[in-house]
Amino acid sequence: MEKRFVYADAAATVPTLPEALLEYEKTAREIWGNPSSQYSVGRAARRRLDECRGRMAELLGANPRRVFFTSGGTEADNWAVVSGARFMKERFGKNKIAVSEVEHPAVINAARALEREGYALEYLPVTPDGAVDIERAAKIIDGEVGIVSVMYANNEIGTIQPIGTLEKMAHSVGAYFMTDAVQAVGSVKLSFRDTGADMMTLSGHKFGAPRGIGALILSDGCEIEPFILGGEQERGMRAGTENLPAAAAMTRALELSLENFDDTERVAGLRNDIAEYIINEIPSSHINGSMKNRICGNLSVSFDGVEGESLMLLLDSRGICVSTGSACSSGAAEPSHVITALGYGRERARGTIRISLPRGATANDAEYIKVCLSECVSRLREITHI
């Protein structure tokens, strides 16, 4: 089969949408004032920033006054976990944090930093499908917990969590509930209000905005501390001159993602076709996570006797871009904490790759992935005499 280029790592990032890029350029060129300035060009920038905030809130089911622009998902996650936990400790004496075992490093490492300060950190175990084990979680989420953080959809295995049940558990003991929706926004139709969460985070480059823009959304009753200190931007909650062109681009990208949402079913069909082929045609392969309850383009698969990194590089030589897990953990010596949390051994974790199809993926892309996967796995097993 003739070599071609297939991008299949949409969970890491997607190309900036042309329309979003045009919005960025137009805003940067025409509305270049500082939104904090009181003269006319500053007021024009403020109006446009407020329009973006209002439109994002409308699309996501939130209060515009509770949408705060950030530099991306990592900052938003850090802000939510650190400031939320500190507020709950200072106001109510709650000293415990509970996060799922499969959270993104932006959440886990923020929680670990607080643990070093003296907070108690508990991990909510997951089932083999990657969903939080509700019965075991109920024994951990008690009156000492100030914040519970569970991502909406996992970045490595795509599992969608039982958010409604978990937020009720958190609220029943007076804790904040936070959800990292970085992988979900643009891939899942969701309303922040319907989640019942106190805090939700997102990142624009996951759905077609430029890198460097994201948001933290708070419920009306959620109080947390400011994260970046300085001026009075973002209602005094996040200092620094706002990145208006990026906010405008993110707003446009979200609009387009939701307008074209029906395409997610087609992408899920391609994902299912690849999964079926792998299980039926490539011996000793395993799908990680639930096939019924996961975001549309995600497929995490492990191959016995194969190093995931070697497979990723061999596929790259064929023009196919996949990953071995979270892009934020690329190059880490340890195997994926997500795969091991499912109850599988380190060898299975090391033999794992993540295929995440973007919008616009074609049947020809899926066919090329199938053929190259079969050839590359066979080649690697020959080399290692498996």
Side-chain angles (χ1 to χ4, degrees):
M1 183 175 286
E2 183 179 352
K3 181 179 176 179
R4 56 198 303 253
F5 176 75
V6 176
Y7 184 71
D9 197 19
T13 195
V14 298
T16 303
L17 292 170
E19 298 90 339
L21 186 57
L22 285 172
E23 189 66 39
Y24 184 100
E25 293 174 340
K26 181 176 185 292
T27 303
R29 184 175 61 252
E30 298 178 2
I31 314 176
W32 46 264
N34 188 321
S36 296
S37 298
Q38 298 302 307
Y39 40 76
S40 59
V41 293
R43 295 196 302 272
R46 171 58 57 186
R47 284 194 298 271
R48 184 68 181 114
L49 186 66
D50 290 342
E51 288 171 1
C52 293
R53 199 185 310 277
R55 183 61 174 148
M56 289 287 294
E58 180 183 8
L59 294 170
L60 294 170
N63 180 346
R65 296 176 61 85
R66 307 295 280 167
V67 175
F68 300 94
F69 292 119
T70 68
S71 65
T74 294
E75 181 195 327
D77 282 345
N78 275 226
W79 184 2
V81 172
V82 173
S83 295
R86 286 177 175 165
F87 176 85
M88 294 299 281
K89 180 179 180 180
E90 291 173 9
R91 180 67 63 90
F92 302 107
K94 291 175 173 286
N95 193 47
K96 191 158 81 170
I97 307 161
V99 305
S100 84
E101 289 183 320
V102 295
E103 290 302 291
H104 190 276
V107 168
I108 287 181
N109 288 333
R112 287 174 177 168
L114 289 171
E115 185 180 30
R116 291 191 292 271
E117 293 181 12
Y119 288 78
L121 175 58
E122 296 274 3
Y123 293 96
L124 304 175
V126 297
T127 67
D129 280 344
V132 170
D133 187 318
I134 297 300
E135 289 187 7
R136 295 169 71 186
K139 299 176 182 178
I140 295 171
I141 301 174
D142 58 22
E144 297 300 313
V145 174
I147 183 170
V148 176
S149 182
V150 179
M151 64 200 325
Y152 196 105
N154 188 264
N155 54 303
E156 292 193 32
I157 61 173
T159 299
I160 297 173
Q161 295 288 350
I163 296 299
T165 300
L166 290 162
E167 68 86 6
K168 289 181 176 61
M169 292 173 64
H171 289 154
S172 71
V173 297
Y176 277 160
F177 181 75
M178 176 259 183
T179 187
D180 171 343
V182 167
Q183 291 294 327
V185 172
S187 294
V188 177
K189 276 194 174 178
L190 62 85
S191 163
F192 173 65
R193 290 191 184 92
D194 290 347
T195 67
D198 300 288
M199 298 175 276
M200 185 176 83
T201 60
L202 59 100
S203 183
H205 76 97
K206 303 296 186 179
F207 51 86
R211 294 163 186 81
I213 187 71
L216 169 63
I217 302 176
L218 304 179
S219 67
D220 290 342
C222 180
E223 296 181 63
I224 63 172
E225 298 178 351
F227 194 57
I228 298 178
L229 304 178
E232 291 302 311
Q233 293 89 352
E234 297 297 293
R235 302 188 186 281
M237 293 292 285
R238 196 261 187 194
T241 301
E242 298 92 343
N243 190 349
L244 174 57
M250 179 168 68
T251 304
R252 184 67 183 127
L254 184 58
E255 288 177 333
L256 291 168
S257 293
L258 298 179
E259 286 172 9
N260 300 316
F261 189 79
D262 289 346
D263 195 45
T264 57
E265 289 190 18
R266 184 188 63 81
V267 173
L270 295 177
R271 184 271 317 278
N272 292 343
D273 180 52
I274 295 171
E276 184 177 353
Y277 176 87
I278 290 171
I279 294 301
N280 292 332
E281 302 298 332
I282 303 179
S284 302
S285 57
H286 316 276
I287 304 298
N288 302 311
S290 168
M291 284 302 296
K292 294 181 179 179
N293 195 35
R294 71 197 300 153
I295 49 180
C296 62
N298 177 282
L299 181 63
S300 172
V301 60
S302 303
F303 301 94
D304 293 349
V306 172
E307 285 285 337
E309 186 172 356
S310 298
L311 179 56
M312 175 192 70
L313 294 173
L314 194 53
L315 288 169
D316 184 42
S317 73
R318 305 288 186 94
I320 300 173
C321 300
V322 300
S323 75
T324 54
S326 169
C328 299
S329 301
S330 180
E334 289 299 308
S336 163
H337 73 285
V338 173
I339 304 302
T340 54
L342 304 183
Y344 304 126
R346 295 165 67 90
E347 289 305 311
R348 177 156 166 175
R350 288 199 176 96
T352 299
I353 63 168
R354 178 187 67 188
I355 300 167
S356 46
L357 301 176
R359 304 278 188 94
T362 67
N364 287 337
D365 293 337
E367 193 63 30
Y368 187 64
I369 290 171
K370 290 190 295 185
V371 171
C372 291
L373 261 178
S374 183
E375 293 175 353
C376 291
V377 170
S378 295
R379 176 62 180 148
L380 289 171
R381 284 175 172 167
E382 287 174 7
I383 293 171
T384 55
H385 307 291
I386 297 298

